[in-house]
Every structure is written in structure tokens, then in C-alpha cells.
Amino acid sequence: MNVQSPNSWDAIDKKTLVHPYTDLDAHAERGPHIITRAEGIRLYDADGRSFIDGVAGLWCTSLGFGEERLVQAAAKQMRELSFSHVFSHRSNTTVIELAERLTELAPDSITRAFFVNSGSEAVDAAIQIVWYYNNALGRHEKKKIIGRDRGYHGVTVAAGSLTALPYKQNDFDLPVNDRFLKVSCPHYYRYAEADETEVEFGARLAREVESLILAEGPDTVAAFIGEPVMAAGGVIPPPEGYWPAVEKICRKYDVLLICDEVVNGFARTGNMWGSETVGVQPDIMTTAKQLSSAYLPIGATLMSEKVYEVIATHSPKNGIFGIGMTYGGHPVCAAVALETLKIYEERDILGHVRALMPQFHERLARLGEFDLVGETRGAGLLGAIELVSDKETREQFPPATKAAPTLYSHVFEQGVSCRPLPGDGFGICPPLIVTADEIDEIFDGIEAGLKTARDALRS
Ligand SMILES: Cc1ncc(COP(=O)(O)O)c(C=O)c1O
């Protein structure tokens, strides 16, 4: 594949990522979009319009809306035990059962769970666990964490230091210090060099990780974090061979591998975990969102026995492993998460996702026939298109065109809600209970929106 000129690193940083993917002017004019109710995978707004959910809320409403079993699970738990903390050797049966179920489901390398309230907190806890782990081992210099350009890991001061998107870091004084390092985004279509194959590109980016570790000094680098398939930065599946090569490098330099599964987890990419899809065994995993199908806020930081043993052995020195939060492991959220996992199993959600993948990817690939669409990409029931003004050169629309928000509006006119993404990406991520007919409805809406948006964008 011959990658043309606007792909230099500088050009991308300045041109691509500052592309607006929210039309603030339009929002100011219209005011917020008020949603009043939802059922199944359809939402209803204050203007009486109904539309189909093409992005699972915010990559999270896997079981759709109005799932009575989740409502009942919450009500039952509220009656039985509406709160109990998980500090100082106190726990509750619901959160214990959830931890057991979750670690059974997790890759073999993972044996322990720590509960939080969101994906950002899960990443924050992962970072603190990494630092604590290295202090416990007396490796006080081994603290740097490598993230990736366009990676999304949440918004707390620490997690936001790894979210390498301008809107999260500009003017927030992030990254907060020089413990947060960054390597290139593994997006072949946009960042490969001319005549570089996908495998060569993946190998080059993995070498970049190794070069950075060596340049910083392996004794200072503690962890590498990545979404197996990047989501909010543009939905970017990794190039072939990249992740296994990164894992090998991490093992070589005793760098912990953190897979951020907040979007990928629970069948989204066609396997239970994104780490399975890309073929790695993480030391630490973060999850949230589809853990409770977004019915209640809950997240978890999962870790290997090796990591757990070190922090558990060290904790008595401080009296407590001090990152607990009042609502971490909240029994009502845990009950809903547990019921969500039961539903995934009973309804074979993973099998359902796999059965729909050929249709989803066939429809996604067809979008590539539109002259506005430079690339189609995805994994499992997660996909995106990238809008370009010139398919040959891959040149993007000028930022003022607001190409992705424009497409969003045109697709919404068709009764389908998807998500504009950085770099003029347009994300498609239906709830996992979507049916074959609903997949057609979503893609029919996007095709119709692309036709009308074309006229608006080309005029
Ligand atoms: C991969 C990933 N990690 C972390 C987060 C942060 O999760 P939350 O918004 O629940 O804090 C997100 C949110 O979209 C995410 O996509």
C-alpha cells in the first residue's frame, strides 16, 4: 500500500487530532440533546424522535435498555444489603462472588480483582498498583509508564496523563509529570511509511517501544498500557504481530503489561477479552462499562498473582493497601454486574457476537465504496470509517468542515446514532444484543447519511 504525503508525524499531530469531532457551534445553537427514555436498543428524545443506538450508549450498553433482570438484581440487593464497604478485611458475598466469576472469565494470567466505580478509576488504580509494586520490590526508580498516541484511558489526573488526545491534555497540565511516556499510534492506514507492509509497520512500532525503554533505562520503566483494539481515539485495530512483539519486549525488560479492556472487554472484539483477540497475557487488566451493561457504575482492576502477592505482602508495612474508595465494590453495583455476567453466559452473548460478525464486517467494508470513506476498520462488533476529502492521497477535510460531526447529523436524520471520533473517524459499536435486522438498519442509515453528507461536504 502506498501511503501518500499528509502522513508525516507532524502533519498528523497538528492536522488530524485537532479536528473537531463535536460541532460546538451547532450544540450552542440547539442546546443539549435531551433523551427521555429507551427500550431495547432504541432511544427516544424530548422532540419525540426515536433512534437506534449505533454506539451502545458510550461503548457500554451491551444488553440494551430496560433489561428487567438487571432492574430486579439491583432491587433485590438494595433490600438485602444496600451498602457495605470492602475496607479493612470487610467484604460481602455479592462482591466476592463477582470477583470469583470475573477472575474465572479473565485470561489465565489474571487471578485477583479490585473494584472501583469507573474506567478512569480502574486505570488510576492500575497505575498506583504498578508504583506500589515497584516500591515493594525496592525498585524505587522503576516508575515510568508507556502509553500510546491516541490512546484513551480516562480522565483522572493519572489516567488522563495516559490519554494522549489533545482535548484531554491541553490546558489541563497533563501529563502531570515525566513518568508518563508516549509511543506512536499503531494505525497503519494513517501512519505507515510509503511501501511499508502492515507487518513491517507493526514490527517498527514495537521496536520503538524497545528503543524508548532502552533510552529511558529499563530500570526506570515500569509498565506499558494499551487498549488491545483502540476505541475512543478512532477505533484502531493493531497491525498484525504488533501486540505479541510488544509483550515480548515487556517480558524482556520486566515491564508490566496493562491491557485496558474498558471497551474491549466482554465479547466486544469477538473474544471475551481484547487481549485474547490480539494474543497477549496481561499482568494487569482494567474493565468497566459492559461489566454492568452500564446499568450502574462499576469498574475493576484485575491483576496476576505475581502482582497481587507483592502488594499484599508489602501492605502491612502501611497498615492497609490504601486505594479503597467508599463505593468501590458497592454491593448493588456488584449484584448488577454479576447478573450481567450471568446473562452473557446464559444467552451466549459471545456466540451471538461471533454469529453477527460476518454481516457486520461485510456491511462495514461496503461503506468503503463511498468516495468520502478512506478506510473501514474494526474487530468484532466494533468498527469505524475514516472520512477523507481525497481517497487517493488520503487528504483530510479542513478542520472547519467538521466532517465527522456533519456525518453524525446526517446519519442521525436517518434515525441512527453513531459517534464522531478524532481524526474524522466515525465509530459504530452497537449493543451486543443487536439483531441481524438491526445491523442492516444501522448500516442502511449510515449509507443514506453518507449520501446526503457528501453533498453538504463537497458543496
Ligand atoms: C479504554 C478506556 N479506558 C478508560 C476509560 C474511562 O472510563 P470512564 O469513562 O468510565 O471513566 C474509557 C472511556 O471511554 C475507555 O474507553
mmCIF file of all heavy atoms in Angstrom, residues 259-307:
data_model
loop_
_atom_site.group_PDB
_atom_site.id
_atom_site.type_symbol
_atom_site.label_atom_id
_atom_site.label_comp_id
_atom_site.label_asym_id
_atom_site.label_seq_id
_atom_site.Cartn_x
_atom_site.Cartn_y
_atom_site.Cartn_z
ATOM 1 N N CYS A 259 -3.427 -4.250 29.944
ATOM 2 C CA CYS A 259 -4.405 -4.151 28.854
ATOM 3 C C CYS A 259 -5.622 -3.397 29.376
ATOM 4 O O CYS A 259 -6.255 -3.830 30.348
ATOM 5 C CB CYS A 259 -4.823 -5.532 28.354
ATOM 6 S SG CYS A 259 -3.557 -6.275 27.324
ATOM 7 N N ASP A 260 -5.926 -2.282 28.737
ATOM 8 C CA ASP A 260 -7.116 -1.522 29.118
ATOM 9 C C ASP A 260 -8.289 -2.098 28.335
ATOM 10 O O ASP A 260 -8.445 -1.861 27.128
ATOM 11 C CB ASP A 260 -6.907 -0.033 28.813
ATOM 12 C CG ASP A 260 -8.071 0.815 29.310
ATOM 13 O OD1 ASP A 260 -9.132 0.229 29.616
ATOM 14 O OD2 ASP A 260 -7.918 2.042 29.388
ATOM 15 N N GLU A 261 -9.106 -2.876 29.043
ATOM 16 C CA GLU A 261 -10.221 -3.610 28.429
ATOM 17 C C GLU A 261 -11.557 -2.908 28.688
ATOM 18 O O GLU A 261 -12.611 -3.540 28.611
ATOM 19 C CB GLU A 261 -10.280 -5.034 29.017
ATOM 20 C CG GLU A 261 -9.054 -5.879 28.747
ATOM 21 C CD GLU A 261 -9.203 -6.759 27.503
ATOM 22 O OE1 GLU A 261 -10.230 -6.630 26.807
ATOM 23 O OE2 GLU A 261 -8.287 -7.545 27.242
ATOM 24 N N VAL A 262 -11.501 -1.630 29.019
ATOM 25 C CA VAL A 262 -12.734 -0.924 29.397
ATOM 26 C C VAL A 262 -13.776 -0.963 28.265
ATOM 27 O O VAL A 262 -14.958 -1.132 28.523
ATOM 28 C CB VAL A 262 -12.422 0.516 29.867
ATOM 29 C CG1 VAL A 262 -13.684 1.357 29.967
ATOM 30 C CG2 VAL A 262 -11.700 0.482 31.214
ATOM 31 N N VAL A 263 -13.322 -0.857 27.023
ATOM 32 C CA VAL A 263 -14.253 -1.012 25.898
ATOM 33 C C VAL A 263 -14.198 -2.441 25.338
ATOM 34 O O VAL A 263 -15.215 -3.045 25.026
ATOM 35 C CB VAL A 263 -13.945 0.012 24.775
ATOM 36 C CG1 VAL A 263 -14.747 -0.300 23.511
ATOM 37 C CG2 VAL A 263 -14.257 1.430 25.247
ATOM 38 N N ASN A 264 -12.996 -2.988 25.221
ATOM 39 C CA ASN A 264 -12.828 -4.299 24.554
ATOM 40 C C ASN A 264 -13.451 -5.460 25.314
ATOM 41 O O ASN A 264 -13.872 -6.448 24.721
ATOM 42 C CB ASN A 264 -11.332 -4.617 24.402
ATOM 43 C CG ASN A 264 -10.627 -3.826 23.319
ATOM 44 O OD1 ASN A 264 -9.616 -4.253 22.804
ATOM 45 N ND2 ASN A 264 -11.127 -2.661 22.960
ATOM 46 N N GLY A 265 -13.497 -5.351 26.649
ATOM 47 C CA GLY A 265 -13.897 -6.487 27.480
ATOM 48 C C GLY A 265 -15.312 -6.957 27.222
ATOM 49 O O GLY A 265 -16.173 -6.184 26.804
ATOM 50 N N PHE A 266 -15.560 -8.238 27.481
ATOM 51 C CA PHE A 266 -16.896 -8.850 27.393
ATOM 52 C C PHE A 266 -17.405 -8.927 25.953
ATOM 53 O O PHE A 266 -18.467 -8.406 25.627
ATOM 54 C CB PHE A 266 -17.895 -8.125 28.317
ATOM 55 C CG PHE A 266 -17.383 -8.008 29.711
ATOM 56 C CD1 PHE A 266 -16.952 -6.794 30.206
ATOM 57 C CD2 PHE A 266 -17.274 -9.136 30.521
ATOM 58 C CE1 PHE A 266 -16.429 -6.679 31.490
ATOM 59 C CE2 PHE A 266 -16.746 -9.038 31.801
ATOM 60 C CZ PHE A 266 -16.323 -7.806 32.289
ATOM 61 N N ALA A 267 -16.616 -9.574 25.134
ATOM 62 C CA ALA A 267 -17.040 -10.019 23.792
ATOM 63 C C ALA A 267 -17.049 -8.946 22.712
ATOM 64 O O ALA A 267 -17.354 -9.245 21.554
ATOM 65 C CB ALA A 267 -18.414 -10.702 23.854
ATOM 66 N N ARG A 268 -16.728 -7.731 23.033
ATOM 67 C CA ARG A 268 -16.849 -6.657 22.039
ATOM 68 C C ARG A 268 -16.033 -6.944 20.770
ATOM 69 O O ARG A 268 -16.458 -6.647 19.667
ATOM 70 C CB ARG A 268 -16.419 -5.324 22.686
ATOM 71 C CG ARG A 268 -16.355 -4.136 21.768
ATOM 72 C CD ARG A 268 -17.642 -3.856 21.022
ATOM 73 N NE ARG A 268 -18.749 -3.436 21.881
ATOM 74 C CZ ARG A 268 -20.015 -3.334 21.451
ATOM 75 N NH1 ARG A 268 -20.338 -3.598 20.195
ATOM 76 N NH2 ARG A 268 -20.972 -2.968 22.287
ATOM 77 N N THR A 269 -14.822 -7.493 20.945
ATOM 78 C CA THR A 269 -13.961 -7.675 19.752
ATOM 79 C C THR A 269 -14.035 -9.098 19.190
ATOM 80 O O THR A 269 -13.190 -9.501 18.405
ATOM 81 C CB THR A 269 -12.489 -7.313 20.062
ATOM 82 O OG1 THR A 269 -11.978 -8.278 21.005
ATOM 83 C CG2 THR A 269 -12.344 -5.916 20.631
ATOM 84 N N GLY A 270 -15.047 -9.873 19.639
ATOM 85 C CA GLY A 270 -15.200 -11.226 19.093
ATOM 86 C C GLY A 270 -14.579 -12.299 19.966
ATOM 87 O O GLY A 270 -14.641 -13.485 19.639
ATOM 88 N N ASN A 271 -13.947 -11.897 21.058
ATOM 89 C CA ASN A 271 -13.486 -12.803 22.114
ATOM 90 C C ASN A 271 -13.903 -12.182 23.433
ATOM 91 O O ASN A 271 -14.260 -10.994 23.475
ATOM 92 C CB ASN A 271 -11.959 -12.965 22.072
ATOM 93 C CG ASN A 271 -11.519 -13.756 20.852
ATOM 94 O OD1 ASN A 271 -11.804 -14.943 20.726
ATOM 95 N ND2 ASN A 271 -10.860 -13.074 19.931
ATOM 96 N N MET A 272 -13.834 -12.971 24.498
ATOM 97 C CA MET A 272 -14.267 -12.393 25.768
ATOM 98 C C MET A 272 -13.437 -11.142 26.087
ATOM 99 O O MET A 272 -13.949 -10.159 26.594
ATOM 100 C CB MET A 272 -14.141 -13.455 26.877
ATOM 101 C CG MET A 272 -14.751 -13.054 28.194
ATOM 102 S SD MET A 272 -16.448 -12.389 28.089
ATOM 103 C CE MET A 272 -17.406 -13.835 27.749
ATOM 104 N N TRP A 273 -12.132 -11.182 25.760
ATOM 105 C CA TRP A 273 -11.235 -10.045 26.043
ATOM 106 C C TRP A 273 -10.490 -9.625 24.785
ATOM 107 O O TRP A 273 -10.120 -10.468 23.964
ATOM 108 C CB TRP A 273 -10.220 -10.442 27.126
ATOM 109 C CG TRP A 273 -10.887 -10.940 28.357
ATOM 110 C CD1 TRP A 273 -11.003 -12.243 28.746
ATOM 111 C CD2 TRP A 273 -11.589 -10.158 29.350
ATOM 112 N NE1 TRP A 273 -11.728 -12.320 29.917
ATOM 113 C CE2 TRP A 273 -12.096 -11.063 30.311
ATOM 114 C CE3 TRP A 273 -11.829 -8.801 29.511
ATOM 115 C CZ2 TRP A 273 -12.835 -10.646 31.405
ATOM 116 C CZ3 TRP A 273 -12.559 -8.373 30.602
ATOM 117 C CH2 TRP A 273 -13.052 -9.286 31.549
ATOM 118 N N GLY A 274 -10.207 -8.326 24.714
ATOM 119 C CA GLY A 274 -9.397 -7.834 23.603
ATOM 120 C C GLY A 274 -8.010 -8.451 23.634
ATOM 121 O O GLY A 274 -7.394 -8.681 22.593
ATOM 122 N N SER A 275 -7.503 -8.729 24.850
ATOM 123 C CA SER A 275 -6.165 -9.312 24.931
ATOM 124 C C SER A 275 -6.110 -10.673 24.239
ATOM 125 O O SER A 275 -5.091 -11.047 23.677
ATOM 126 C CB SER A 275 -5.678 -9.396 26.388
ATOM 127 O OG SER A 275 -6.691 -9.874 27.218
ATOM 128 N N GLU A 276 -7.249 -11.420 24.268
ATOM 129 C CA GLU A 276 -7.292 -12.692 23.520
ATOM 130 C C GLU A 276 -7.266 -12.406 22.023
ATOM 131 O O GLU A 276 -6.593 -13.098 21.264
ATOM 132 C CB GLU A 276 -8.596 -13.433 23.819
ATOM 133 C CG GLU A 276 -8.675 -14.120 25.151
ATOM 134 C CD GLU A 276 -10.076 -14.706 25.329
ATOM 135 O OE1 GLU A 276 -10.462 -15.622 24.594
ATOM 136 O OE2 GLU A 276 -10.801 -14.188 26.201
ATOM 137 N N THR A 277 -8.026 -11.392 21.619
ATOM 138 C CA THR A 277 -8.089 -11.051 20.189
ATOM 139 C C THR A 277 -6.702 -10.723 19.647
ATOM 140 O O THR A 277 -6.368 -11.089 18.530
ATOM 141 C CB THR A 277 -9.055 -9.859 19.975
ATOM 142 O OG1 THR A 277 -10.345 -10.257 20.450
ATOM 143 C CG2 THR A 277 -9.147 -9.433 18.532
ATOM 144 N N VAL A 278 -5.880 -10.034 20.465
ATOM 145 C CA VAL A 278 -4.557 -9.651 19.951
ATOM 146 C C VAL A 278 -3.460 -10.617 20.407
ATOM 147 O O VAL A 278 -2.301 -10.460 20.050
ATOM 148 C CB VAL A 278 -4.190 -8.190 20.332
ATOM 149 C CG1 VAL A 278 -5.248 -7.229 19.809
ATOM 150 C CG2 VAL A 278 -3.989 -8.007 21.834
ATOM 151 N N GLY A 279 -3.829 -11.611 21.234
ATOM 152 C CA GLY A 279 -2.887 -12.691 21.561
ATOM 153 C C GLY A 279 -1.851 -12.362 22.617
ATOM 154 O O GLY A 279 -0.673 -12.699 22.449
ATOM 155 N N VAL A 280 -2.264 -11.693 23.714
ATOM 156 C CA VAL A 280 -1.303 -11.438 24.808
ATOM 157 C C VAL A 280 -1.917 -11.813 26.155
ATOM 158 O O VAL A 280 -3.131 -11.926 26.289
ATOM 159 C CB VAL A 280 -0.843 -9.952 24.850
ATOM 160 C CG1 VAL A 280 -0.094 -9.594 23.581
ATOM 161 C CG2 VAL A 280 -2.005 -8.992 25.079
ATOM 162 N N GLN A 281 -1.058 -12.006 27.134
ATOM 163 C CA GLN A 281 -1.478 -12.327 28.511
ATOM 164 C C GLN A 281 -1.063 -11.165 29.409
ATOM 165 O O GLN A 281 0.113 -11.047 29.776
ATOM 166 C CB GLN A 281 -0.765 -13.596 28.998
ATOM 167 C CG GLN A 281 -1.250 -14.886 28.369
ATOM 168 C CD GLN A 281 -2.469 -15.471 29.093
ATOM 169 O OE1 GLN A 281 -2.745 -15.145 30.240
ATOM 170 N NE2 GLN A 281 -3.198 -16.327 28.402
ATOM 171 N N PRO A 282 -2.002 -10.294 29.761
ATOM 172 C CA PRO A 282 -1.623 -9.125 30.563
ATOM 173 C C PRO A 282 -1.272 -9.462 32.007
ATOM 174 O O PRO A 282 -1.720 -10.481 32.535
ATOM 175 C CB PRO A 282 -2.885 -8.266 30.519
ATOM 176 C CG PRO A 282 -3.991 -9.219 30.243
ATOM 177 C CD PRO A 282 -3.422 -10.344 29.436
ATOM 178 N N ASP A 283 -0.504 -8.575 32.637
ATOM 179 C CA ASP A 283 -0.255 -8.672 34.085
ATOM 180 C C ASP A 283 -1.370 -7.973 34.848
ATOM 181 O O ASP A 283 -1.695 -8.339 35.968
ATOM 182 C CB ASP A 283 1.079 -7.992 34.436
ATOM 183 C CG ASP A 283 2.242 -8.654 33.742
ATOM 184 O OD1 ASP A 283 2.541 -9.804 34.081
ATOM 185 O OD2 ASP A 283 2.827 -8.022 32.831
ATOM 186 N N ILE A 284 -1.897 -6.918 34.219
ATOM 187 C CA ILE A 284 -2.969 -6.124 34.834
ATOM 188 C C ILE A 284 -3.987 -5.814 33.736
ATOM 189 O O ILE A 284 -3.604 -5.571 32.581
ATOM 190 C CB ILE A 284 -2.412 -4.808 35.433
ATOM 191 C CG1 ILE A 284 -1.396 -5.111 36.539
ATOM 192 C CG2 ILE A 284 -3.534 -3.913 35.962
ATOM 193 C CD1 ILE A 284 -0.737 -3.895 37.160
ATOM 194 N N MET A 285 -5.270 -5.847 34.107
ATOM 195 C CA MET A 285 -6.327 -5.524 33.144
ATOM 196 C C MET A 285 -7.295 -4.551 33.791
ATOM 197 O O MET A 285 -7.591 -4.684 34.976
ATOM 198 C CB MET A 285 -7.134 -6.791 32.850
ATOM 199 C CG MET A 285 -6.760 -7.494 31.591
ATOM 200 S SD MET A 285 -7.576 -9.096 31.519
ATOM 201 C CE MET A 285 -9.280 -8.683 31.589
ATOM 202 N N THR A 286 -7.791 -3.621 33.006
ATOM 203 C CA THR A 286 -8.808 -2.719 33.541
ATOM 204 C C THR A 286 -10.111 -2.963 32.800
ATOM 205 O O THR A 286 -10.103 -3.221 31.592
ATOM 206 C CB THR A 286 -8.380 -1.253 33.352
ATOM 207 O OG1 THR A 286 -8.002 -1.073 31.979
ATOM 208 C CG2 THR A 286 -7.215 -0.912 34.244
ATOM 209 N N THR A 287 -11.210 -2.887 33.529
ATOM 210 C CA THR A 287 -12.504 -3.101 32.889
ATOM 211 C C THR A 287 -13.561 -2.235 33.574
ATOM 212 O O THR A 287 -13.386 -1.810 34.718
ATOM 213 C CB THR A 287 -12.866 -4.601 32.907
ATOM 214 O OG1 THR A 287 -14.146 -4.768 32.308
ATOM 215 C CG2 THR A 287 -12.913 -5.178 34.304
ATOM 216 N N ALA A 288 -14.640 -1.941 32.871
ATOM 217 C CA ALA A 288 -15.778 -1.162 33.406
ATOM 218 C C ALA A 288 -16.915 -1.302 32.388
ATOM 219 O O ALA A 288 -17.118 -2.399 31.857
ATOM 220 C CB ALA A 288 -15.378 0.297 33.619
ATOM 221 N N LYS A 289 -17.610 -0.247 32.099
ATOM 222 C CA LYS A 289 -18.632 -0.194 31.024
ATOM 223 C C LYS A 289 -19.482 -1.462 30.926
ATOM 224 O O LYS A 289 -20.438 -1.632 31.659
ATOM 225 C CB LYS A 289 -17.950 0.126 29.685
ATOM 226 C CG LYS A 289 -17.330 1.550 29.681
ATOM 227 C CD LYS A 289 -16.991 2.012 28.298
ATOM 228 C CE LYS A 289 -16.224 3.318 28.284
ATOM 229 N NZ LYS A 289 -16.993 4.485 27.955
ATOM 230 N N GLN A 290 -19.158 -2.386 29.985
ATOM 231 C CA GLN A 290 -20.014 -3.557 29.742
ATOM 232 C C GLN A 290 -20.011 -4.529 30.929
ATOM 233 O O GLN A 290 -20.781 -5.478 30.949
ATOM 234 C CB GLN A 290 -19.578 -4.278 28.462
ATOM 235 C CG GLN A 290 -19.770 -3.402 27.229
ATOM 236 C CD GLN A 290 -19.675 -4.137 25.902
ATOM 237 O OE1 GLN A 290 -20.364 -3.793 24.965
ATOM 238 N NE2 GLN A 290 -18.819 -5.139 25.799
ATOM 239 N N LEU A 291 -19.173 -4.281 31.927
ATOM 240 C CA LEU A 291 -19.173 -5.107 33.139
ATOM 241 C C LEU A 291 -20.561 -5.105 33.787
ATOM 242 O O LEU A 291 -20.988 -6.114 34.347
ATOM 243 C CB LEU A 291 -18.098 -4.578 34.110
ATOM 244 C CG LEU A 291 -18.046 -5.146 35.516
ATOM 245 C CD1 LEU A 291 -17.890 -6.668 35.524
ATOM 246 C CD2 LEU A 291 -16.880 -4.521 36.301
ATOM 247 N N SER A 292 -21.254 -3.964 33.701
ATOM 248 C CA SER A 292 -22.619 -3.915 34.245
ATOM 249 C C SER A 292 -23.620 -3.518 33.158
ATOM 250 O O SER A 292 -24.718 -3.084 33.479
ATOM 251 C CB SER A 292 -22.691 -2.892 35.387
ATOM 252 O OG SER A 292 -22.462 -1.597 34.862
ATOM 253 N N SER A 293 -23.194 -3.641 31.903
ATOM 254 C CA SER A 293 -24.017 -3.163 30.789
ATOM 255 C C SER A 293 -24.445 -1.713 31.020
ATOM 256 O O SER A 293 -25.495 -1.283 30.559
ATOM 257 C CB SER A 293 -25.248 -4.062 30.590
ATOM 258 O OG SER A 293 -25.938 -3.670 29.433
ATOM 259 N N ALA A 294 -23.644 -0.984 31.801
ATOM 260 C CA ALA A 294 -23.869 0.441 32.085
ATOM 261 C C ALA A 294 -25.126 0.710 32.920
ATOM 262 O O ALA A 294 -25.578 1.846 32.990
ATOM 263 C CB ALA A 294 -23.899 1.268 30.795
ATOM 264 N N TYR A 295 -25.666 -0.328 33.564
ATOM 265 C CA TYR A 295 -26.842 -0.068 34.415
ATOM 266 C C TYR A 295 -26.439 0.644 35.697
ATOM 267 O O TYR A 295 -27.219 1.422 36.243
ATOM 268 C CB TYR A 295 -27.590 -1.383 34.708
ATOM 269 C CG TYR A 295 -28.552 -1.735 33.593
ATOM 270 C CD1 TYR A 295 -28.063 -2.090 32.337
ATOM 271 C CD2 TYR A 295 -29.917 -1.657 33.773
ATOM 272 C CE1 TYR A 295 -28.926 -2.375 31.287
ATOM 273 C CE2 TYR A 295 -30.794 -1.949 32.734
ATOM 274 C CZ TYR A 295 -30.295 -2.299 31.497
ATOM 275 O OH TYR A 295 -31.154 -2.572 30.459
ATOM 276 N N LEU A 296 -25.257 0.339 36.206
ATOM 277 C CA LEU A 296 -24.741 1.055 37.375
ATOM 278 C C LEU A 296 -23.240 1.224 37.202
ATOM 279 O O LEU A 296 -22.593 0.416 36.518
ATOM 280 C CB LEU A 296 -25.043 0.284 38.662
ATOM 281 C CG LEU A 296 -26.471 0.397 39.190
ATOM 282 C CD1 LEU A 296 -26.670 -0.479 40.415
ATOM 283 C CD2 LEU A 296 -26.848 1.836 39.529
ATOM 284 N N PRO A 297 -22.664 2.260 37.831
ATOM 285 C CA PRO A 297 -21.223 2.469 37.654
ATOM 286 C C PRO A 297 -20.396 1.472 38.450
ATOM 287 O O PRO A 297 -20.530 1.390 39.675
ATOM 288 C CB PRO A 297 -20.998 3.900 38.174
ATOM 289 C CG PRO A 297 -22.218 4.278 38.909
ATOM 290 C CD PRO A 297 -23.311 3.304 38.614
ATOM 291 N N ILE A 298 -19.591 0.722 37.740
ATOM 292 C CA ILE A 298 -18.651 -0.194 38.402
ATOM 293 C C ILE A 298 -17.504 -0.490 37.437
ATOM 294 O O ILE A 298 -17.713 -0.593 36.228
ATOM 295 C CB ILE A 298 -19.340 -1.508 38.872
ATOM 296 C CG1 ILE A 298 -18.326 -2.419 39.585
ATOM 297 C CG2 ILE A 298 -20.025 -2.234 37.731
ATOM 298 C CD1 ILE A 298 -18.955 -3.563 40.374
ATOM 299 N N GLY A 299 -16.314 -0.592 37.988
ATOM 300 C CA GLY A 299 -15.139 -0.971 37.205
ATOM 301 C C GLY A 299 -14.285 -1.898 38.041
ATOM 302 O O GLY A 299 -14.523 -2.065 39.250
ATOM 303 N N ALA A 300 -13.314 -2.511 37.404
ATOM 304 C CA ALA A 300 -12.416 -3.394 38.154
ATOM 305 C C ALA A 300 -11.022 -3.331 37.570
ATOM 306 O O ALA A 300 -10.855 -3.184 36.360
ATOM 307 C CB ALA A 300 -12.931 -4.833 38.105
ATOM 308 N N THR A 301 -10.036 -3.420 38.469
ATOM 309 C CA THR A 301 -8.651 -3.585 38.059
ATOM 310 C C THR A 301 -8.283 -5.018 38.411
ATOM 311 O O THR A 301 -8.361 -5.407 39.584
ATOM 312 C CB THR A 301 -7.740 -2.592 38.813
ATOM 313 O OG1 THR A 301 -8.288 -1.281 38.622
ATOM 314 C CG2 THR A 301 -6.318 -2.620 38.279
ATOM 315 N N LEU A 302 -7.967 -5.792 37.410
ATOM 316 C CA LEU A 302 -7.666 -7.213 37.613
ATOM 317 C C LEU A 302 -6.159 -7.401 37.493
ATOM 318 O O LEU A 302 -5.505 -6.702 36.721
ATOM 319 C CB LEU A 302 -8.374 -8.051 36.553
ATOM 320 C CG LEU A 302 -9.879 -7.798 36.398
ATOM 321 C CD1 LEU A 302 -10.445 -8.606 35.242
ATOM 322 C CD2 LEU A 302 -10.615 -8.148 37.674
ATOM 323 N N MET A 303 -5.623 -8.335 38.283
ATOM 324 C CA MET A 303 -4.164 -8.499 38.241
ATOM 325 C C MET A 303 -3.739 -9.942 38.403
ATOM 326 O O MET A 303 -4.534 -10.793 38.831
ATOM 327 C CB MET A 303 -3.505 -7.620 39.317
ATOM 328 C CG MET A 303 -3.741 -8.086 40.723
ATOM 329 S SD MET A 303 -3.607 -6.752 41.949
ATOM 330 C CE MET A 303 -5.282 -6.123 41.988
ATOM 331 N N SER A 304 -2.489 -10.185 38.075
ATOM 332 C CA SER A 304 -1.921 -11.530 38.180
ATOM 333 C C SER A 304 -1.581 -11.819 39.638
ATOM 334 O O SER A 304 -1.450 -10.912 40.468
ATOM 335 C CB SER A 304 -0.654 -11.627 37.329
ATOM 336 O OG SER A 304 0.337 -10.798 37.896
ATOM 337 N N GLU A 305 -1.367 -13.102 39.931
ATOM 338 C CA GLU A 305 -0.993 -13.497 41.284
ATOM 339 C C GLU A 305 0.370 -12.889 41.650
ATOM 340 O O GLU A 305 0.586 -12.481 42.785
ATOM 341 C CB GLU A 305 -0.945 -15.033 41.357
ATOM 342 C CG GLU A 305 -1.015 -15.610 42.757
ATOM 343 C CD GLU A 305 -2.329 -15.280 43.487
ATOM 344 O OE1 GLU A 305 -3.324 -14.885 42.849
ATOM 345 O OE2 GLU A 305 -2.335 -15.403 44.733
ATOM 346 N N LYS A 306 1.246 -12.797 40.645
ATOM 347 C CA LYS A 306 2.583 -12.236 40.889
ATOM 348 C C LYS A 306 2.471 -10.798 41.412
ATOM 349 O O LYS A 306 3.106 -10.438 42.420
ATOM 350 C CB LYS A 306 3.390 -12.270 39.565
ATOM 351 C CG LYS A 306 4.717 -11.583 39.619
ATOM 352 C CD LYS A 306 5.453 -11.639 38.276
ATOM 353 C CE LYS A 306 5.346 -10.328 37.512
ATOM 354 N NZ LYS A 306 6.206 -10.216 36.335
ATOM 355 N N VAL A 307 1.644 -9.997 40.782
ATOM 356 C CA VAL A 307 1.487 -8.598 41.204
ATOM 357 C C VAL A 307 0.788 -8.558 42.566
ATOM 358 O O VAL A 307 1.220 -7.850 43.493
ATOM 359 C CB VAL A 307 0.690 -7.786 40.149
ATOM 360 C CG1 VAL A 307 0.357 -6.391 40.658
ATOM 361 C CG2 VAL A 307 1.474 -7.716 38.842
#
